[in-house]
Amino acid sequence: MCGRYSMTQSLSDLEKIVKFICKISDFKPRYNIAPRSHVPILVWENNQIVLKDMRWGLIPSWSKDEKIGDKLTNARAETLTEKPSFKKPFQKQRCLIPADSYFEWQTSDQGKIPFLFTMADHKFFCLAGLWERWIRPHKEGELGLDDTGPSISQTVETFTIITCEPNLMAAKVHTRMPVVLGQEHYSWWLEPKFEPEFLKTLLRPFPAELMQ
């Protein structure tokens, strides 16, 4: 699984590996990003890559309760086309999650020991993910929708991080690892024209020799 990651470098450093249109108003280094956090992710919008804030923990569009997002922070690569929560987003709503490290915990006799994984060059990398748009239902006594549809405050955009089998290094710590995509595959992953069956081939362990 992947339950924590960081994004400590500047957006100009991120732009060195992927060009994007920025749609976030404020950016600060984040050293310990946890589920439910609102963080910058990359999506495909109007035929270009856009950086925008979303909440970590995917809430399916059909869900009646946002608490389900706490259970959907990760999605297994092997079952994306089987799980109702991920099947539709995998078709057209894929995203990249920028990070410069992620944490994993190893269970030992002394308790859980945290390990920090980075690229060998310490640069940004992008994790494969899925995103979804959820409309928060009105509670009893609230005003109904107007003719323009749901307000911005009722619309919640969320994401999940895809995991796969670990590479040889990560396997020493945990049985899963997040899917790290190579830079050459970023546009393939984001653009809706590519078919899920082809994209499944990208969901594999990242080379251990390029990490530390």
Side-chain angles (χ1 to χ4, degrees), residues 1 12 15-16 51-52 55 58 72 83 93 108 111 127 152 158 166 193 200 204 207:
M1 64 173 293
S12 59
E15 201 164 19
K16 292 175 183 177
L51 185 73
K52 61 191 301 185
R55 193 173 92 178
L58 188 139
L72 301 178
K83 301 292 185 180
Q93 294 174 190
S108 71
L127 307 176
I152 293 176
T158 60
K193 66 182 180 181
K200 277 185 178 180
R204 56 182 183 265

Side-chain angles (χ1 to χ4, degrees), residues 59-108:
I59 306 173
S61 59
W62 42 261
S63 178
K64 295 182 179 180
D65 190 342
E66 62 186 297
K67 291 180 180 179
I68 192 175
D70 296 337
K71 299 178 181 179
L72 301 178
T73 56
N74 288 168
R76 295 177 66 92
E78 299 88 343
T79 58
L80 290 181
T81 56
E82 301 169 15
K83 301 292 185 180
S85 300
F86 306 132
K87 189 173 183 179
K88 183 176 76 70
F90 188 36
Q91 296 289 326
K92 301 292 182 182
Q93 294 174 190
R94 300 176 293 271
C95 62
L96 295 171
I97 299 94
D100 47 31
S101 72
Y102 76 90
F103 297 86
E104 208 55 87
W105 281 260
Q106 183 184 64
T107 301
S108 71

